[in-house]
Amino acid sequence: MLDERKSALWQALGLGPEWVLREELQELQHKQAQVNVPAPAPTAPAALLQPSAASARPQSPAITSHRVPAQPKKTPARRKEGRGVAPDAFSPVRTEKIKNFSWTEIISGVKNCHICDISSHRICAVPGEGTPPKDLVLIGEAPGAEEDRQGIPFCGPSGKLLTTILHAIGLERGKDLAILNTIKCRPPMNADPSAEEMAACWSFLERQLELMDPKVIVAMGKPAAKSLFGTDETLTSRRQKVFDMVIAGKSRKVIVTYHPAALLRNPSDKRKAWVDWCLVLDTLNKARNE
């Protein structure tokens, strides 16, 4: 039997008769028992590190990681298309300053940040939604056109779908969870964030996660997953798993799913997203009871 919230989520996504995916949910629950295991003690320092291919590659169905994305090895050159990053983006002085920001200072710092060229094209920087602490944090890719206009994450069509999903499982935006992005400014033409831009914004995101202190983090979309894992793997390879990762100094559960905008482009993936959000709900409930 599906519980009330999972049924409500199914209905909110407009997926039809519930019996269609009950076997798939049972299969997910079986997989969850195999993959949701404690992570080994971290050996990496808390600073930003570039994971090697060997350390980032899953060794078994029980996938764990303690690596976080790194700053580029070389200072990225400024490019003509307006996607460059200033040389001091990765300076120890800037990193240490952000590391000690309060929540109010983070909001102010994001709004006044011009470390990347894309900041000159923005209308509003988008620090995020929610205040510390939160058990659940959702991470998206980057602000879109509507977010850029309003300064709020997920306020366009994809935001409406996300709100519908959260409402169905009994969660209220801002109150029960926080929503952040890998970068805080909209890239031109809604392009994917570059590796340099994500690295330049990582200090903000890491400090936000440290202050939020979430038990569960949901990465929505491939760029969001890449910002946490530091490797460019497919979304499919990371879905339906619970990753134990040390992020912002503590072990946290990480789950990867589709970005809501992707579900609007490909409604057939809503069935898979339903399975992912059931896993989020189960993992959050378990983490809160531990």
Side-chain angles (χ1 to χ4, degrees):
M1 294 292 290
L2 301 181
D3 67 31
E4 183 177 349
R5 285 182 291 181
K6 292 174 183 176
S7 294
L9 174 60
W10 181 275
Q11 294 166 9
L13 290 171
L15 295 175
E18 290 181 8
W19 58 267
V20 176
L21 270 184
R22 291 193 180 193
E23 290 186 1
E24 188 170 350
L25 180 61
Q26 291 174 350
E27 181 181 355
L28 167 65
Q29 291 170 334
H30 176 69
K31 288 181 180 179
Q32 184 179 347
Q34 296 178 332
V35 303
N36 191 12
V37 298
T43 57
L48 303 181
L49 298 175
Q50 176 65 45
S52 65
S55 66
R57 187 180 302 116
Q59 301 299 315
S60 70
I63 301 176
T64 60
S65 175
H66 52 74
R67 302 287 187 176
V68 294
Q71 65 185 50
K73 294 181 180 179
K74 296 181 180 180
T75 300
R78 288 186 171 270
R79 300 186 294 277
K80 293 181 180 180
E81 67 270 25
R83 296 292 299 275
V85 177
D88 60 343
F90 314 108
S91 70
V93 173
R94 178 177 183 266
T95 300
E96 188 65 23
K97 181 179 179 181
I98 295 174
K99 183 178 179 180
N100 292 292
F101 272 173
S102 66
W103 187 255
T104 301
E105 289 171 331
I106 288 176
I107 303 303
S108 177
V110 166
K111 290 182 177 180
N112 291 287
C113 181
H114 296 282
I115 208 74
C116 298
D117 288 341
I118 59 173
S119 65
S120 63
H121 302 284
R122 75 187 181 207
I123 299 173
C124 294
V126 185
E129 180 181 73
T131 55
K134 292 289 184 291
D135 288 343
L136 176 64
V137 170
L138 313 184
I139 299 178
E141 301 172 6
E146 192 61 34
E147 288 82 1
D148 184 43
R149 282 191 287 269
Q150 297 190 37
I152 302 171
F154 288 89
C155 57
S158 64
K160 292 180 180 179
L161 176 57
L162 178 60
T163 300
T164 298
I165 290 171
L166 295 172
H167 180 74
I169 58 178
L171 298 175
E172 183 179 340
R173 291 180 53 158
K175 178 182 177 182
D176 301 312
L177 67 144
I179 304 176
L180 308 173
N181 280 318
T182 60
I183 67 172
K184 314 305 184 184
C185 299
R186 179 196 180 201
M189 304 301 293
N190 283 356
D192 285 345
S194 70
E196 292 83 4
E197 289 160 354
M198 287 194 292
C201 253
W202 172 254
S203 293
F204 284 126
L205 180 58
E206 184 178 40
R207 180 56 175 160
Q208 285 179 308
L209 291 173
E210 183 178 12
L211 292 173
M212 285 290 180
D213 195 22
K215 300 179 185 299
V216 179
I217 298 172
V218 179
M220 300 183 294
K222 186 177 177 181
K226 183 179 179 180
S227 75
L228 294 177
F229 291 86
T231 55
D232 195 17
E233 297 180 26
T234 65
L235 199 68
T236 300
S237 68
R238 287 179 169 143
R239 287 186 52 251
Q240 298 188 35
K241 300 179 179 71
V242 179
F243 296 83
D244 287 297
M245 300 180 67
V246 173
I247 299 175
K250 289 183 65 174
S251 179
R252 311 179 196 278
K253 307 293 184 184
V254 178
I255 296 172
V256 178
T257 188
Y258 297 93
H259 191 284
L263 300 179
L264 294 176
R265 293 192 299 268
N266 302 293
S268 61
D269 286 335
K270 287 183 179 181
R271 298 162 67 91
K272 299 174 185 177
W274 177 80
V275 177
D276 294 342
W277 282 100
C278 287
L279 179 57
V280 171
L281 185 58
D282 289 341
T283 304
L284 181 61
N285 288 340
K286 182 177 180 181
R288 283 172 168 171
N289 292 328
E290 287 180 347

